Amino acid sequence: MGFLSFNKKNAHNVALIDVSSASVRGAYARIEEGQPPTICYTAHLSIEPQTGTPETATPFVADMLRALEELVGILQKEGAAALRTATGSAHVKQVFVSIGAPWQESNVRVESFEKETPFVFTRALLDEATKRNELPEGMIESGEAVIATILNGYESRQPLGKRVKHADLVILSSMLNEEVMRSVEKTLRHAYHTHEVTIAAFAPVAFEILRDQYPHQKDFLILDVAGTATDVAVVKGGLLVDVKTIGNGVHDLLRAARTSGVTGTGLTGLGDGAGGIIDPARNAQFASKVTEVQALWLENLRAVLSEFSARHPLPRTIFLLADTETRDFLKRLLDTDTLRSLWLSDVPFSIIPVLAEQFAGPVVTKPPAGGDAYIAMLALYYAKRVAHSA
């Protein structure tokens, strides 16, 4: 499942797939070294939960896989023609997939080495720091990388061979639900008749690309709000220092509406036009239940941020990742006293929705493809990793 490598004269087509508990999205892109990725076709389907409750990830796997199979069908039927028109070939050389919460889990840890006398920092120390730990049952490792090396208190980009007394390695680890990963992999291999399927957790993708996109923004929070979960990440000094997943998402609002007995609310697809989630004021019963769900989500988010603030001052910039239908609603919901009181200051924090337009320079989008922030980040991450592996 490794990345491709190619020479400078070579270019290839790739299928990009993003899987979350709120939606599945896919794209065809042209990748050429030294050129920005070109998105040739995009498709996006919301996931409507039908099989059970989100107390575990398992009930929603069937819903997600149905949506994924439908998405792949659209890519093959409509996207292949667009890809052939744009590139002269409909052949897809590799499939790159990201899987989000609740089926992925990322964490950050620090491995330290210290001796009374100076020692040489070697590749063996790096290997020792990143050796695999025992994984929880049902999870499989999807990547482990050293994202910072601090020698004698100072970050070093080239640590090998240096003599030190103390070394700290900041390591980002990601795990995926094995059932989900194997099912997604099987679906895509069958559809594209290839074993070149690379699967990664989405949280590391979001961190790396947002850090690259905003090089002068050294401190920020990332909120990735999906259907049944919310990923929260803290970046300080350009380093990812904390990651946590909350077991609440936008599907909770839809479920609240359904259990309230309210009909005709226009909640199909979780949204109601440009305003995001439907205005709860339309129905008192609906408003009461949704208010409870909002309060629970905010309280859980506040608890995670309070935990973070005990270790690091909270950044004042929040990057918000969410589907278009819910983004505006979530932005309004976040901008409340429930969260603002955590900053212990009158200086407001800034909520920046992550939009496709923000990647208009690094990524080229050609009709009939539509702008999509998630797809743009996948394309940039894939192209960057390909270039580094060549």
Side-chain angles (χ1 to χ4, degrees), residues 13 34 63 82 89 111 146 199 218 226 247 278 286-287 302 310 318 341 348 356 359:
N13 300 329
D63 299 322
S89 172
E111 296 286 346
V146 176
I199 299 181
K218 300 298 184 183
I278 193 169
F286 174 71
R302 179 185 169 84
I318 300 175
S341 60
F359 303 96

Side-chain angles (χ1 to χ4, degrees), residues 231-273:
D231 275 337
V232 188
V234 183
V235 178
K236 297 288 291 184
L239 301 178
L240 187 64
V241 295
D242 261 318
V243 184
K244 190 89 171 182
T245 299
I246 301 169
N248 306 92
V250 293
H251 280 170
D252 298 319
L253 289 161
L254 178 60
R255 198 170 67 258
R258 286 172 172 166
T259 58
S260 70
V262 178
T263 59
T265 60
L267 273 169
T268 302
L270 302 180
D272 189 29

Side-chain angles (χ1 to χ4, degrees), residues 19-23 47 53-61 64 99-106 138-139 175-178 180-181 201-202 224-231 244-249 251:
V19 174
S20 81
S21 56
S23 62
I47 297 175
T53 62
E55 295 174 357
T56 67
T58 303
F60 288 101
V61 172
M64 179 272 290
I99 297 178
W103 304 307
Q104 68 89 24
E105 181 179 330
S106 297
M139 302 295 285
M175 300 179 292
L176 292 172
N177 180 290
E178 186 171 9
V180 171
M181 194 194 83
F202 182 72
D224 181 22
V225 188
T228 63
T230 301
D231 275 337
K244 190 89 171 182
T245 299
I246 301 169
N248 306 92
H251 280 170

Side-chain angles (χ1 to χ4, degrees), residues 308-383:
F308 287 162
S309 67
R311 297 190 290 270
H312 329 277
L314 289 176
R316 296 189 178 279
T317 299
I318 300 175
F319 287 111
L320 173 62
L321 283 158
D323 283 341
T324 303
E325 296 85 356
T326 56
R327 189 188 302 124
D328 290 342
F329 167 78
L330 291 168
K331 185 175 184 295
R332 293 194 299 270
L333 186 56
L334 289 167
D335 193 12
T336 63
D337 291 339
T338 301
L339 295 184
R340 288 194 176 278
S341 60
L342 287 171
W343 271 257
L344 303 175
S345 170
D346 293 333
V347 180
F349 55 71
S350 176
I351 303 171
I352 303 176
V354 180
L355 308 175
E357 302 89 271
Q358 294 161 352
F359 303 96
V363 176
V364 175
T365 302
K366 291 186 175 181
D372 188 298
Y374 284 87
I375 291 298
M377 286 190 286
L378 288 188
L380 288 170
Y381 187 87
Y382 175 85

